[in-house]
């Protein structure tokens, strides 16, 4: 059934395509999760209304506390917008809509809350055929599982039993919700499904304007709300508080403190520029992707390292991230060189890297960097230290590749299965910068003796 032909009693809107998918699922558990603005909460109210034409039907919609249900745009005010002028009656004491039936008891939609662990026992003697959790990650897993005991019906009531939920990533329940619904290795169940939510799924939303608004949020909150990113986590190797930025203005770079205050200015010609490359994204990687493994990408990063007393800082000027074949990779390196004129290009020194050097070394200053330890987590050691010290800076006003870069950094725990191509390229930059800094110190010491 298409979204345009799906009819919801008392609902003044046709569901979007993604909402229709949510409403039509037959599984016992359906979780609608991901980016903000995808119409998730509204879908819960639509789902609750689907069977109010059946006498005795009972639905329960839960939030962490009552004030959130009553906020402007919340589900209680929205239900009043939809149901005003219908035969449905509002009971303020019970926070319940009642839908009268001549041939049986009224259908009901009740709004409830679970602010404290004992609140779930408020519903211990109740019976519902539909239970919905709005912002599921605000809840403990025990609360969610307990409510299954309230999901039941009599044989004469011909409606499905449904446990429905919606949420953005984040919150105290982020991990258990992710493990139950989102992760590829989540416990398999024929009665459970995850439907991703995207900003683009809501045609009633000004997508460009909303994305611009979300760009002002802290990085973790931004990626969770804008891109529905469940991978970003507080226990990642790189912390959001380590992120530092710079502004490019009038031929100079302004390095910023976390407060936004400029602590240093670097003029043109005061940096040594180099490129680091993780040359993944080959045909072999694409085969791995087809076989269900995480795909790899080729990453080319342009770095500036000051040549003065600020030499400990690394400034990321540009990045290209794509899936390249060998000839495409070589062309991308040539393009980077023409645009940025680095003094040296460093590429991971395994088979593809060596082949690239053989192809380009007569025309470009390109060399292999030894991979050293094969463990990416160990190889990233210097980068972790520099990031923690606030010595790696990203462009403050870049919204093309920076969000994707930060998302990978803030999701990475060091697990070999996690994407780390951008981190690997940056790790090489930290190694090169550290070696260069050591050479500068050695030279300065020799000049003073």
């Amino acid at each position: 059934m298409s979204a345009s032909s799906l009819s919801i009693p008392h609902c003044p809107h046709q569901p979007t395509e993604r909402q229709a998918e949510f409403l039509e699922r037959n599984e016992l558990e359906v979780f609608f999760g991901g980016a903000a603005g995808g119409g998730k909460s509204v879908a819960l109210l639509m789902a609750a209304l689907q069977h109010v034409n059946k006498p005795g039907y009972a639905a329960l919609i839960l939030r962490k506390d009552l004030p959130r249900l009553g906020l402007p745009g919340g589900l209680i005010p929205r239900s009043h917008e939809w149901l005003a002028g219908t035969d449905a009656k509002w009971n303020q004491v019970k926070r319940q809509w009642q839908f009268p039936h001549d041939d049986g008891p009224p259908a009901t939609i009740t709004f409830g809350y679970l602010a404290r662990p004992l609140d779930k026992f408020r519903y211990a003697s109740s019976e519902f055929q539909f239970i919905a959790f709005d912002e599921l990650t605000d809840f403990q897993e025990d609360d969610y599982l307990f409510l299954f005991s309230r999901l039941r019906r009599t044989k004469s009531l011909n409606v499905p039993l449904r446990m429905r939920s919606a949420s953005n990533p984040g919150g105290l329940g982020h991990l258990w919700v992710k493990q139950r619904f989102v992760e590829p290795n989540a416990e398999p169940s024929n009665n459970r499904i995850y439907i991703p939510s995207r900003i683009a799924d809501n045609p009633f939303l000004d997508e460009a304007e909303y994305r611009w608004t979300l760009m002002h949020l802290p990085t973790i909150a931004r990626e969770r709300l804008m891109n529905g990113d469940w991978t970003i986590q507080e226990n990642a190797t790189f912390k959001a508080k380590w992120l530092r930025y710079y502004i490019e203005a009038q031929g100079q770079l302004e390095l910023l403190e976390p407060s936004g205050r400029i602590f240093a200015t670097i003029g043109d010609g005061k940096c040594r520029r180099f490129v680091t490359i993780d040359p993944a994204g080959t045909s072999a990687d694409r085969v791995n992707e087809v076989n269900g493994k995480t795909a790899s990408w080729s990453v080319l990063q342009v770095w500036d390292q000051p040549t003065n007393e600020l030499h400990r800082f690394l400034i990321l000027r540009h990045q290209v991230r794509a899936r390249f074949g060998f000839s495409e990779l070589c062309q991308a390196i040539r393009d980077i060189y023409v645009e940025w004129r680095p003094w040296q290009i460093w590429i991971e020194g395994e088979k593809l890297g060596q082949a690239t050097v053989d192809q380009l070394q007569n025309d470009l200053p390109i060399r292999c960097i030894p991979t050293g330890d094969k463990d990416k987590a160990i190889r990233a050691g210097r980068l972790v230290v520099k990031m923690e010290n606030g010595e790696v800076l990203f462009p403050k006003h870049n919204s093309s590749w920076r969000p994707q870069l930060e998302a990978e950094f803030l999701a990475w725990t060091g697990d070999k299965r996690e994407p780390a191509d951008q981190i690997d390229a940056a790790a090489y930059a930290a190694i090169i910068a550290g070696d260069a800094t050591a050479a500068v110190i050695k030279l300065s010491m020799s000049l003073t003796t």
Side-chain angles (χ1 to χ4, degrees), residues 20-242:
E21 180 184 358
F22 174 75
L23 295 168
E24 293 170 353
R25 300 302 308 196
N26 295 319
E27 289 82 2
L28 176 64
E29 295 177 79
V30 182
F31 174 57
F32 195 3
K40 302 184 298 298
S41 295
V42 170
L44 294 179
L45 183 55
M46 290 178 174
L49 285 166
Q50 279 182 288
H51 294 286
V52 294
N53 57 350
K54 305 287 181 61
Y57 163 78
L60 173 66
I61 299 177
L62 294 164
R63 277 218 69 166
K64 188 65 176 176
D65 53 57
L66 277 178
R68 300 187 213 193
L69 281 166
L71 288 172
L75 288 180
I76 288 180
R78 192 176 297 273
S79 72
H80 281 269
E81 292 174 12
W82 289 9
L83 298 174
T86 71
D87 60 353
K89 307 299 181 183
W90 174 250
N91 185 318
Q92 179 62 40
V93 175
K94 294 183 176 180
R95 294 177 298 278
Q96 181 184 85
W97 284 102
Q98 298 176 354
F99 302 82
H101 289 279
D102 294 334
D103 55 345
T108 60
I109 296 178
T110 304
F111 296 92
Y113 62 92
L114 292 173
R116 297 174 298 275
L118 294 180
D119 283 342
K120 58 179 171 285
F121 297 109
R122 295 164 52 87
Y123 310 101
S125 60
S126 301
E127 177 177 296
F128 303 97
Q129 295 76 56
F130 175 90
I131 299 175
F133 288 78
D134 193 15
E135 290 302 336
L136 182 60
T137 57
D138 285 344
F139 296 88
Q140 300 281 0
E141 187 175 16
D142 286 348
D143 292 339
Y144 178 77
L145 296 177
F146 175 83
L147 265 295
F148 276 94
S149 67
R150 304 301 93 209
L151 199 64
R152 60 191 183 189
R153 61 180 172 83
T154 61
K155 292 182 178 179
S156 61
L157 184 55
N158 185 25
V159 296
L161 297 181
R162 295 177 294 160
M163 184 71 80
R164 298 293 182 262
S165 53
S167 188
N168 304 314
L172 63 88
H174 174 91
L175 184 59
W176 77 261
V177 173
K178 178 187 173 190
Q179 291 174 341
R180 186 174 185 87
F181 293 103
V182 181
E183 289 184 344
N185 60 345
E187 180 184 347
S189 172
N190 293 329
N191 280 320
R192 184 184 308 150
I193 192 169
Y194 164 55
I195 297 178
S197 169
R198 303 170 302 177
I199 293 175
D201 293 330
N202 188 347
F204 305 105
L205 192 68
D206 187 327
E207 180 180 350
E209 181 178 60
Y210 190 46
R211 286 185 182 276
W212 178 83
T213 301
L214 293 177
M215 281 299 295
H216 293 78
L217 294 176
T219 305
I220 288 180
R222 182 196 70 216
E223 288 304 306
R224 285 174 170 173
L225 295 178
M226 183 162 67
N227 296 319
D229 194 327
W230 289 90
T231 62
I232 290 182
Q233 47 201 327
E234 285 78 1
N235 65 339
T237 301
F238 298 93
K239 312 301 180 186
K241 64 182 179 182
W242 298 353

Side-chain angles (χ1 to χ4, degrees), residues 376-390:
K376 290 178 182 287
I378 295 175
R379 197 156 64 220
R382 286 192 185 181
L383 178 63
V384 172
V385 172
K386 291 189 76 65
M387 292 281 290
E388 186 173 11
N389 291 338

Side-chain angles (χ1 to χ4, degrees), residues 124-435:
S125 60
S126 301
E127 177 177 296
F128 303 97
Q129 295 76 56
F130 175 90
I131 299 175
F133 288 78
D134 193 15
E135 290 302 336
L136 182 60
T137 57
D138 285 344
F139 296 88
Q140 300 281 0
E141 187 175 16
D142 286 348
D143 292 339
Y144 178 77
L145 296 177
F146 175 83
L147 265 295
F148 276 94
S149 67
R150 304 301 93 209
L151 199 64
R152 60 191 183 189
R153 61 180 172 83
T154 61
K155 292 182 178 179
S156 61
L157 184 55
N158 185 25
V159 296
L161 297 181
R162 295 177 294 160
M163 184 71 80
R164 298 293 182 262
S165 53
S167 188
N168 304 314
L172 63 88
H174 174 91
L175 184 59
W176 77 261
V177 173
K178 178 187 173 190
Q179 291 174 341
R180 186 174 185 87
F181 293 103
V182 181
E183 289 184 344
N185 60 345
E187 180 184 347
S189 172
N190 293 329
N191 280 320
R192 184 184 308 150
I193 192 169
Y194 164 55
I195 297 178
S197 169
R198 303 170 302 177
I199 293 175
D201 293 330
N202 188 347
F204 305 105
L205 192 68
D206 187 327
E207 180 180 350
E209 181 178 60
Y210 190 46
R211 286 185 182 276
W212 178 83
T213 301
L214 293 177
M215 281 299 295
H216 293 78
L217 294 176
T219 305
I220 288 180
R222 182 196 70 216
E223 288 304 306
R224 285 174 170 173
L225 295 178
M226 183 162 67
N227 296 319
D229 194 327
W230 289 90
T231 62
I232 290 182
Q233 47 201 327
E234 285 78 1
N235 65 339
T237 301
F238 298 93
K239 312 301 180 186
K241 64 182 179 182
W242 298 353
L243 299 177
R244 297 292 185 272
Y245 302 101
Y246 69 89
I247 295 173
E248 185 176 3
Q250 298 177 343
Q252 62 184 18
L253 303 178
E254 298 172 349
L255 312 190
L256 306 178
E257 293 181 345
S259 65
R261 187 181 73 86
I262 299 171
F263 73 86
T265 300
I266 302 173
D268 284 339
K270 299 298 182 181
C271 289
R272 181 185 70 145
R273 178 168 295 164
F274 63 93
V275 171
T276 55
I277 304 171
D278 182 342
T282 63
S283 57
D285 294 307
R286 291 171 184 155
V287 169
N288 287 338
E289 183 180 6
V290 171
N291 291 333
K293 298 180 181 179
T294 301
S296 295
W297 298 68
S298 296
V299 176
L300 296 79
Q301 294 174 343
V302 179
W303 296 91
D304 277 355
Q305 181 180 20
T307 54
N308 55 19
E309 68 277 4
L310 299 172
H311 55 78
R312 69 184 184 279
F313 290 96
L314 266 178
I315 304 166
L316 183 56
R317 301 299 306 278
H318 183 62
Q319 174 175 286
V320 174
R321 179 176 181 264
R323 291 198 175 103
F324 289 134
F326 178 69
S327 61
E328 295 168 320
L329 175 62
C330 291
Q331 185 58 52
I333 295 171
R334 291 189 182 97
D335 293 342
I336 284 278
Y337 180 77
V338 169
E339 181 177 359
W340 291 92
R341 294 294 175 181
W343 74 274
Q344 189 67 58
I345 300 170
W346 299 89
I347 188 168
E348 185 179 276
E350 295 189 1
K351 290 183 178 180
L352 182 58
Q354 185 59 61
T356 305
V357 171
D358 293 342
Q359 179 73 18
L360 299 177
Q361 63 184 345
N362 292 332
D363 303 314
L364 303 178
I366 185 169
R367 297 175 59 185
C368 284
I369 180 172
T371 55
D373 197 298
K374 301 295 184 182
D375 190 305
K376 290 178 182 287
I378 295 175
R379 197 156 64 220
R382 286 192 185 181
L383 178 63
V384 172
V385 172
K386 291 189 76 65
M387 292 281 290
E388 186 173 11
N389 291 338
E391 297 173 358
V392 180
L393 296 98
F394 300 153
K396 176 70 174 178
H397 298 305
N398 180 288
S399 60
S400 57
W401 50 262
R402 196 196 88 203
Q404 193 175 57
L405 172 83
E406 291 178 339
E408 181 173 293
F409 269 74
L410 298 179
W412 193 61
T413 65
D415 191 304
K416 294 179 181 180
R417 297 168 295 181
E418 296 171 337
D421 306 305
Q422 298 168 101
I423 292 169
D424 225 18
Y428 292 136
I431 293 170
I432 293 164
D435 291 344

